[in-house]
Amino acid sequence: MTTMDKGSNVPSVEHVERMKENLEKVEALSRRLVDVMAHKTSHNPALDAPSQELFANAATAYWAESLQNPARIIEQQVAYWGKTVTHFAEAQQALARGKFEAPADPGPKDRRFANPLWDSHPYFNFIKQQYLINADAIQEAVDSVEDLDDKEKRRLKYFSRQIVDMLAPTNFLGTNPDALEKALETEGQSLVDGLENLVSDLEANNGELVVRLVDEKAFELGGNIATSPGKVVYRNRMMELIQYEPTTEKVFQTPLVIFPPWINKFYILDLKEQNSLIKWITSQGYTLFVVSWVNPDAAYAEVGMEDYIEDGYFAAIREIKAITKVQQINAIGYCIAGTTLALVLSLMKQRGDKSIKSATFFTALTDFAEQGEFTPFLSDDFIDGIEAEVEKQGFLRSYIMARTFSYLRSNDLVYSPAIRSYMMGETPPAFDLLYWNGDGSNLPRKMAMQYLRGLCQRNEFAQEGFELLGHKLKLEEVNVPLCSIACETDHIAAWKDCYRGVQKMGAKDRTFILTQSGHIAGIVNPPSKKKYGHYLNDDLSLSAEDWQAGADFHEGSWWPHWEAWLRKRSGKQIAARTPGDSEHPPLADAPGTYVTTKASR
């Protein structure tokens, strides 16, 4: 392919003609685009942005500040004007010297602007620097707003940052040198491929724009991910119960069950053999059961937290006890399933049920007094929008939750993938973690609102009590031996909030482990990787800050330390158990059938 005339950076005539031919292919794709948008499904608009009241309150507060302290506001504006005019003057001076080069750029590095042209080319350099000046001015203006309560201030910061990130010059073809260079190099084919990717994503999601992060054709459940051998030994309307094959001749008498979050699917704990927590646990000599939740649709609209407890937790515990012939089991709850495990433990205490011997919590919030980065999504206008949405649909669609989580890291999880896919025309990578991330689950209407209103907004479990199944459940009633693992940079379940919940539990035997990294990588951290370390401190009477300051840091995975804790609570060793029994014949091979159901759009 001839891309340029010899000895010149100017595209050849042939090159330009081929590019025109490629661009003509856009017409067919445009027709597909029009068609998919004409049949687009809708969602409640309140889920797209905050109510106008937030911005009105911010504007009122900013105006009040300007009247009370005009010098401060004028100082900010003059500083912004000065930076802008100076920036323009420097660019003009560089051009006046007769050299087509950008002025020196000593500013901080930003990986969005990695292309050398952002620093060397006057056009791109001017755009970049002015964008950064504008971004700083907006942040400073938001920071200066004082007459707002703390939650409103957090929301204002969040949404203003979203606006700034959305308007980055990298997000537009005409101001993205990587995309423009790729278009010239490929004679426009990258733009055609990018539009194909865009239309395909819209068609896959009924007109909703959900950026595809991974090559979905690269993975098969039970084929190259979720491959640990096991059998489905029980199934009801809420879940499949998987018992995994033993990998040791002897196992501990007390079995272990994992309750994964039903917002996502359980195989995050069984992606590849080398990082599979499921495989590792069985290799340590445990009889392991894992719950695989149903992916609900509109028929599950009236399913509530009580159904997840009765037909999920209690059903699993009952069947495990029957299969293994024991009276007590150890349990793990991950994220929302950990929150619910705490509810279950309170309910068991009130009922006098001692079926759970010990409990482990993975990144589980039980005290929602502080809402951290989720503050923007737990205000009434957003929750009201969700309530209207689920009343109409019968369930909360998975993509709405996925989009909410993604915008907490919008540059990494929205804009950068969109640039690569839609502007550069690249095929998404074959990355197992991102495949799992895109394979979400819906939430039933009733359950979603119980969780958002009662637990998240009103924090009833940690305060006056959460009404469920005729009981008022309280965090202080969680009194079994417990181990909580939280993640240092978790933006979904902040570790200090997890710690505060553990402090309020009534158990005398409490262990808290703080691992490095985030919500997923901090948990899926096998010893073989020798990657993220963890903190240990037995004194849980301290504040979170003092606890970490006084903690001992240990290199490597937390898994062995937790397993040593679990081993002490798992009884004697017995002959390994094969999955099921005469009353529980295998219904399917792991990973089961429920896990393959895709979320409704």
Side-chain angles (χ1 to χ4, degrees), residues 151-179:
K151 288 187 176 181
E152 290 292 275
K153 186 71 172 285
R154 288 192 205 176
R155 298 180 71 219
L156 182 62
K157 285 184 176 181
Y158 171 81
F159 287 111
S160 62
R161 188 177 74 244
Q162 293 303 320
I163 293 170
V164 168
D165 290 344
M166 180 180 64
L167 294 177
T170 46
N171 295 337
F172 302 91
L173 177 63
T175 51
N176 187 317
D178 293 298

Side-chain angles (χ1 to χ4, degrees), residues 304-532:
M305 295 287 291
E306 59 270 30
D307 298 287
Y308 278 90
I309 289 175
E310 291 284 19
D311 294 333
Y313 288 75
F314 283 128
I317 292 167
R318 180 187 67 238
E319 301 305 322
I320 293 169
K321 288 167 61 177
I323 292 170
T324 59
K325 310 296 189 294
V326 299
Q327 294 303 308
Q328 286 188 306
I329 68 173
N330 293 317
I332 298 173
Y334 194 167
C335 192
I336 188 176
T339 307
T340 310
L341 177 59
L343 295 172
V344 168
L345 290 168
S346 172
L347 181 58
M348 282 183 159
K349 183 178 186 303
Q350 293 185 27
R351 288 179 173 179
D353 186 341
K354 297 182 179 181
S355 295
I356 291 184
K357 190 174 185 179
S358 76
T360 298
F361 300 94
F362 291 170
T363 66
L365 291 171
T366 51
D367 181 351
F368 293 83
E370 292 293 329
Q371 298 165 350
E373 293 191 57
F374 271 92
T375 298
F377 306 109
L378 293 176
S379 299
D380 278 335
D381 55 354
F382 192 79
I383 301 301
D384 289 347
I386 288 180
E387 189 162 26
E389 170 75 11
V390 297
E391 286 295 336
K392 178 181 178 182
Q393 300 291 336
F395 60 99
L396 182 59
R397 288 174 285 179
S398 172
Y399 84 87
I400 292 175
M401 292 180 289
R403 185 182 63 170
T404 300
F405 289 129
S406 293
Y407 273 98
L408 292 173
R409 296 290 182 270
S410 58
N411 284 325
D412 294 332
L413 297 178
V414 180
Y415 299 122
S416 291
I419 290 167
R420 290 193 297 268
S421 184
Y422 306 150
M423 285 196 220
M424 309 288 285
E426 296 176 2
T427 300
F431 187 14
D432 56 355
L433 179 60
L434 290 179
Y435 176 83
W436 166 85
N437 187 65
D439 187 17
S441 296
N442 305 314
L443 296 183
R445 179 198 65 77
K446 182 179 178 181
M447 173 266 140
M449 298 317 301
Q450 285 174 314
Y451 178 74
L452 291 171
R453 295 290 194 197
L455 291 173
C456 295
Q457 279 196 315
R458 296 194 292 268
N459 196 27
E460 292 172 350
F461 186 41
Q463 294 181 2
E464 68 275 10
F466 183 67
E467 295 278 357
L468 204 66
L469 291 164
H471 293 259
K472 182 170 283 191
L473 307 178
K474 295 186 177 183
L475 183 56
E476 62 199 42
E477 293 179 331
V478 176
N479 65 349
V480 303
L482 63 91
C483 180
S484 175
I485 296 91
C487 302
E488 190 173 19
T489 59
D490 194 334
H491 63 280
I492 295 173
W495 81 265
K496 293 179 182 179
D497 299 333
C498 295
Y499 177 78
R500 186 178 61 253
V502 171
Q503 285 183 308
K504 291 184 177 181
M505 293 178 182
K508 294 180 180 179
D509 181 353
R510 297 178 299 177
T511 297
F512 188 80
I513 301 173
L514 177 61
T515 178
Q516 292 181 313
S517 196
H519 195 70
I520 301 301
I523 297 298
V524 184
N525 180 27
S528 60
K529 296 288 186 180
K530 298 179 180 178
K531 198 169 185 180
Y532 303 117

Side-chain angles (χ1 to χ4, degrees), residues 577-596:
R577 305 172 172 110
T578 57
D581 61 13
S582 59
E583 300 296 319
H584 299 81
L587 304 177
D589 290 330
T593 60
Y594 281 4
V595 73
T596 61

